[in-house]
Each structure stands twice: as structure tokens, then as C-alpha cells.
Amino acid sequence: HLSSLPQTQQMARLKRITPAGIPQHIIQRGNNKQACFASEDDMKAYLKWLTDFANKYKVNIHAWVLMTNHIHLLCTPTTNDGIGKMMQSLGRMYVGYFNHTYKRTGTLWEGRYKSSIIQSERYLLSVYRYIELNPVRADMVTNPSEYSWSSYNFNALGIANNLITPHQEYLSLGDNEKTRREAYIELFKTQIDNKLLSNIRQNINKGLALGNQAFIKEIEILTNARVSSRKAGRPKKNVK
């Protein structure tokens, strides 16, 4: 029974999994909520290395946002270890740059990045919106198009961005770029349901999958790892 296991064994059950071909929502925060970007030059440097390492390790980036003290990515790896290698290389390069630039030492990030596997057909476009609406929820702007450091202006307005590889769910919004962008803008005219907002946040903080029960079962069989929450306590006996 999971709740009776030592804590180290319980934690081992939730090992990070990044199966090829399945989208992941990633978040990485600054240590103690401190700023990890202090200037536009910092953001440009981060995006340059993100592009380089995404290409090197064959990870497709669909959506992203850089906030003052954290980042969000929506991406799909083409290999099982692509995301881990990308994030490790990116983190090492950027922390070295940041420490050198600001004459500091020590850690920058709050431990390892967090991630959540996403069921494409059911939740992917909601996670696109969740990521690109971060600056709006933070009261930094009133419309996501007003914020320069996200993928919104590519996905909604077609402004060139060599970092982005559109996901098939995005491409399915229309037969051509114009109709896709129009449909994408329409998605942002309705708010994300509060329950879904909560689910997205909880699942990424706990490293769980965001999907229906059939999807979760499929992932757990595929990876032999747990990606859903388990309620504490003994299972109820069947009442006859």
C-alpha cells in the first residue's frame, strides 16, 4: 500500500517520465521566487539557448512564456530523454550567463523543473491558453498580444518566431494560417474554467498527467510509472 511505504519509496513512484510524442507542460521557477530575468537581454539570451537546445535534442516547442521569476513551456519530445537533456543544458548555460552578468554565485532555479504530461485532443489548446494568458492573470497587460515575451503573437498574429513548431491540434484549427489564427484568437475570448485552471496547476506541481482516465491508464501501462493521484487510506470493501 502506497501510504505505508517510506517517503523515499513513495517519491520514487512519481519518477519523471517524458515519453516521445506526448506533449508536456513545463514550469521552472526562480529560487525563493526571485527574478530569473532582470532585463530584456536576459530573455533574449534564454530564448536563443532554448532554440538551440530544442533543435539539438529534437524537442518541438508549441507555446512558451517568460515571466520575471518563472517560465512555462508546452513542448513535445521526439525522444524519451530529449526534454531532460534540453532543460539540463539550457539551465546550465543560462545560470552561468546570469551569475556572470550579475556577479553572483549559487543556484538560480527552485530545484528541478516541474512537468505534466498532456492529453492532446482534450487539453492541449487549454494549456496553450493557460501559458499565454500568464501575463494577463498577473495584471501585467490586459491582452496577451501586449506582452512581447510569449508565443501568443506567433500563434495568434503570425509574427515570425523560429522557436515554434505548431502542434497538430493547433494546425487542426483551420485549413490555412489565416483561419487558424482567427480560430485561435476566438479561443481567448472565453475564460478558462476555474476547475480546469486548478487542475492544470495541481497536476504540474505534483508531476501528474492531465487527461481522462483512459489516457492516464494508457500512459501508466506505457511507462510503468504512476502519473495520477492516489487517495490516501485503505480501499473500501465491496458491500454486498
Side-chain angles (χ1 to χ4, degrees):
H1 191 272
L2 181 64
S3 61
S4 63
L5 290 173
Q7 187 175 13
T8 52
Q9 286 181 264
Q10 289 190 43
M11 291 173 66
R13 284 289 195 92
L14 287 177
K15 65 181 180 180
R16 194 198 310 283
I17 56 168
T18 58
I22 300 178
Q24 298 248 333
H25 177 198
I26 292 170
I27 184 171
Q28 191 158 34
R29 297 186 178 92
N31 194 39
N32 294 323
K33 298 184 180 179
Q34 71 184 43
C36 41
F37 303 106
S39 72
E40 291 194 351
D41 284 343
D42 296 346
M43 292 181 165
K44 289 175 184 175
Y46 185 92
L47 290 175
K48 193 258 183 210
W49 288 316
L50 174 58
T51 303
D52 290 348
F53 291 121
N55 288 335
K56 180 175 181 178
Y57 296 115
K58 297 179 171 54
V59 178
N60 295 326
I61 309 291
H62 312 305
W64 56 270
V65 67
L66 306 186
M67 304 294 284
T68 306
N69 62 5
H70 68 282
I71 63 103
H72 286 270
L73 303 174
L74 178 60
C75 53
T76 302
T78 58
T79 63
N80 290 337
D81 59 357
I83 286 179
K85 288 182 174 179
M86 178 186 77
M87 294 302 290
Q88 185 179 42
S89 299
L90 174 61
R92 187 184 301 119
M93 186 70 77
Y94 184 73
V95 172
Y97 155 85
F98 193 86
N99 285 355
H100 175 75
T101 300
Y102 297 104
K103 307 295 188 288
R104 67 186 294 280
T105 59
T107 185
L108 176 63
W109 303 113
E110 179 190 71
R112 298 172 69 199
Y113 67 91
K114 295 182 177 181
S115 63
S116 173
I117 292 175
I118 307 297
Q119 183 180 9
S120 299
E121 63 274 18
R122 186 161 182 157
Y123 291 109
L124 194 85
L125 290 171
S126 293
V127 178
Y128 265 87
R129 291 164 61 207
Y130 176 85
I131 288 172
E132 293 174 352
L133 284 169
N134 254 255
V136 177
R137 286 195 301 274
D139 292 324
M140 298 170 73
V141 294
T142 55
N143 188 289
S145 64
E146 298 165 15
Y147 191 74
S148 301
W149 302 102
S150 88
S151 51
Y152 180 82
N153 286 332
F154 171 84
N155 288 322
L157 306 177
I159 295 173
N161 187 319
N162 62 357
L163 174 57
I164 296 294
T165 301
H167 189 275
Q168 187 55 48
E169 289 295 317
Y170 173 88
L171 295 175
S172 297
L173 289 172
D175 294 333
N176 57 63
E177 289 185 12
K178 183 175 183 291
T179 56
R180 280 194 289 271
R181 292 198 296 266
E182 288 172 350
Y184 193 75
I185 290 169
E186 281 296 314
L187 293 176
F188 284 73
K189 292 182 179 179
T190 55
Q191 291 187 335
I192 300 175
D193 176 79
N194 284 335
K195 184 178 179 182
L196 179 54
L197 270 178
S198 177
N199 284 344
I200 292 171
R201 288 173 177 147
Q202 288 179 13
N203 285 18
I204 195 164
N205 284 324
K206 294 178 180 178
L208 306 176
L210 182 65
N212 61 22
Q213 289 303 309
F215 173 78
I216 288 169
K217 184 176 181 181
E218 183 182 344
I219 292 295
E220 292 186 332
I221 291 171
L222 173 69
T223 62
N224 195 31
R226 178 161 70 83
V227 294
S228 61
S229 60
R230 297 283 190 267
K231 292 182 179 179
R234 297 180 179 277
K236 291 180 180 179
K237 294 181 179 179
N238 291 329
V239 179
K240 294 183 178 179

